[in-house]
Amino acid sequence: MKILILEDEKSVSSAIRFSLQKKGHTVVEIQNPIDALSRIEEEKFEFLILDYNLYLLSGFDFLKLFRINDHLTPVVIITSNEIESMNNLNYLEENSCKIISKDKPINEIISNIEIALKNKNYN
């Protein structure tokens, strides 16, 4: 599966990429949301892992732009925000997004992402 990771914390992004590549996935890792917008215009991804708290453009705003042209690609949102108190929770759930807390150990984050990949039609 071809996966895009948009995460500005390099250590988190690299750990996720490494784990997913070991499972045989093709993974593109980008830290800048503007660069990611350009990349998704050039390439089709089957899965998106998106940090909610990005600089330059929030993960939520990125998702809205992404959904303009792509309504089907499953998205995992990773966030350090308290999930229940997120302002845009309904929108995220209505737009095929699974939300995972970044406050968990990295192996648990990766495990939750792998579960979402297996159930990629989870909405």
Side-chain angles (χ1 to χ4, degrees):
M1 182 176 305
K2 190 170 185 179
I3 301 168
L4 173 64
I5 301 172
L6 176 52
E7 163 64 66
D8 56 7
E9 289 182 54
K10 184 72 172 159
S11 61
V12 173
S13 172
S14 294
I16 295 170
R17 177 188 44 79
F18 179 75
S19 176
L20 294 176
Q21 284 177 330
K22 279 180 34 180
K23 302 277 184 183
H25 299 288
T26 301
V27 182
V28 174
E29 179 183 358
I30 299 177
Q31 281 75 43
N32 181 314
I34 306 304
D35 293 343
L37 286 171
S38 296
R39 190 72 180 260
I40 62 174
E41 287 181 11
E42 300 167 2
E43 293 180 61
K44 173 75 174 145
F45 292 93
E46 298 169 274
F47 201 87
L48 172 62
I49 300 169
L50 175 61
D51 182 9
Y52 190 76
N53 298 312
L54 296 167
Y55 65 96
L56 299 177
L57 181 68
S58 75
F60 178 71
D61 290 335
F62 179 90
L63 179 66
K64 289 192 302 186
L65 292 170
F66 180 73
R67 285 293 186 229
I68 289 171
N69 296 315
D70 186 329
H71 298 284
L72 301 176
T73 299
V75 177
V76 165
I77 302 283
I78 54 178
T79 183
S80 55
N81 295 10
E82 185 176 315
I83 293 172
E84 292 77 27
S85 66
M86 291 172 66
N87 293 337
N88 307 310
L89 192 57
N90 287 339
Y91 178 88
L92 298 174
E93 290 173 347
E94 291 169 1
N95 281 276
S96 300
C97 297
K98 176 156 181 62
I99 305 166
I100 297 173
S101 174
K102 263 199 318 191
D103 294 335
K104 309 277 185 191
I106 192 68
N107 61 332
E108 192 172 330
I109 294 168
I110 292 168
S111 177
N112 284 321
I113 289 170
E114 289 174 346
I115 290 168
L117 281 167
K118 288 178 186 168
N119 302 310
K120 71 177 193 163
N121 298 318
Y122 42 75
N123 203 18

